[in-house]
């Protein structure tokens, strides 16, 4: 009777990189400009950085995110008629306490809440989401007060995600069958 060694029977081990315990002053800072950006597409990039998925040391159970500063957050755009049709709900906890607000009125009152709510809903639904949201800094002006605190924050240019439809495609219509 042949015996197999225990090394052959054990499953392969997953290699996990060491997540370094760096101080608050060494965490990278990213600066995004929200001028002319579409809300949902812009929020996905911010949520990815806040979760730390852009790093090779990403683990879903460890806080490995960077700080994100968003400037011009009041100049974001929504496609279609969402300024009037998109409704944000909040509930006071009392009977009849359901309040609703359109995106247009929310932008007039609290322009940073549009991005904060979009990013919050894209983060994982656990205790780490609270700590991730604390690293999101939203500002309506083009300047931010973190120039001295952050270690060389760099302005990241996001691509223009507006879809361009070609009315006269070069490939033309399908050939007619004979």
């Amino acid at each position: 009777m042949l015996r197999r060694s225990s090394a052959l029977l054990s499953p392969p081990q997953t290699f996990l990189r060491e997540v370094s315990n760096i101080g608050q002053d060494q965490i990278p800072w990213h600066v995004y400009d929200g001028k002319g950006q579409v809300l949902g597409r812009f929020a996905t990039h911010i949520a990815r950085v806040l979760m730390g998925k852009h790093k090779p040391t990403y683990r879903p159970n460890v806080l490995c995110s960077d700080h994100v500063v968003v400037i011009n957050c009041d100049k974001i755009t929504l496609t279609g008629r969402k300024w009037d049709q998109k409704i944000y709900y909040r509930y006071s906890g009392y009977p009849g306490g359901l309040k609703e607000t359109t995106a247009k009125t929310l932008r007039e009152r609290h322009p940073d809440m549009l991005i904060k709510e979009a990013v919050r809903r894209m983060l994982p639904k656990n205790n780490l989401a609270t700590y991730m949201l604390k690293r999101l800094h939203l500002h309506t002006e083009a300047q931010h007060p973190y120039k001295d605190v952050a270690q060389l924050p760099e302005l990241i240019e996001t691509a223009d995600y507006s879809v361009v439809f070609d009315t006269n495609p070069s490939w033309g219509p399908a050939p007619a069958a004979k």
Side-chain angles (χ1 to χ4, degrees), residues 15 19 26 41 46 60-61 81 112 130 147 178:
F15 174 73
V19 177
Q26 297 176 350
R41 294 173 186 265
I46 295 171
N61 62 332
R81 296 184 293 173
D112 55 335
T130 306
K147 292 186 181 184
K178 291 186 180 181

Side-chain angles (χ1 to χ4, degrees), residues 14 18-19 37 53 75 104 114 130 140 149:
T14 304
E18 190 70 30
V19 177
Q37 297 291 327
K53 285 194 168 186
K75 294 178 179 68
K104 184 187 285 185
L114 285 172
T130 306
T140 56
V149 178

Side-chain angles (χ1 to χ4, degrees), residues 92-105:
S92 66
Y94 291 98
L98 183 66
K99 308 288 183 186
E100 54 184 46
T101 309
T102 62
K104 184 187 285 185
T105 58

Side-chain angles (χ1 to χ4, degrees), residues 74-174:
D74 57 340
K75 294 178 179 68
I76 60 164
T77 61
L78 289 175
T79 58
R81 296 184 293 173
K82 290 184 191 148
W83 287 117
D84 298 320
Q85 291 178 348
K86 187 169 179 63
I87 297 175
Y88 291 91
Y89 295 99
R90 64 186 191 280
Y91 182 60
S92 66
Y94 291 98
L98 183 66
K99 308 288 183 186
E100 54 184 46
T101 309
T102 62
K104 184 187 285 185
T105 58
L106 189 61
R107 181 174 70 165
E108 293 169 359
R109 293 181 187 166
H110 306 285
D112 55 335
M113 287 301 291
L114 285 172
I115 295 177
K116 187 173 184 180
E117 280 299 303
V119 170
R120 183 186 65 82
R121 293 173 182 178
M122 292 179 188
L123 293 177
K125 306 328 184 243
N126 56 21
N127 293 339
L128 283 178
T130 306
Y131 297 106
M132 291 175 191
L133 269 179
K134 287 181 182 178
R135 294 185 177 187
L136 175 65
H137 311 280
L138 301 168
H139 298 282
T140 56
E141 306 90 26
Q143 301 294 325
H144 59 87
Y146 302 107
K147 292 186 181 184
D148 298 332
V149 178
Q151 59 164 31
L152 302 173
E154 54 186 79
L155 181 66
I156 297 176
E157 296 292 332
T158 55
D160 184 18
Y161 296 107
S162 59
V163 179
V164 178
F165 292 102
D166 192 4
T167 56
N168 188 9
S170 60
W171 45 267

Side-chain angles (χ1 to χ4, degrees), residues 47-59 64-66 132:
R48 256 184 93 76
V49 173
L50 285 177
M51 285 187 280
K53 285 194 168 186
H54 65 291
K55 294 182 176 182
T57 58
Y58 168 71
R59 288 197 219 163
C64 55
S65 63
D66 298 343
M132 291 175 191

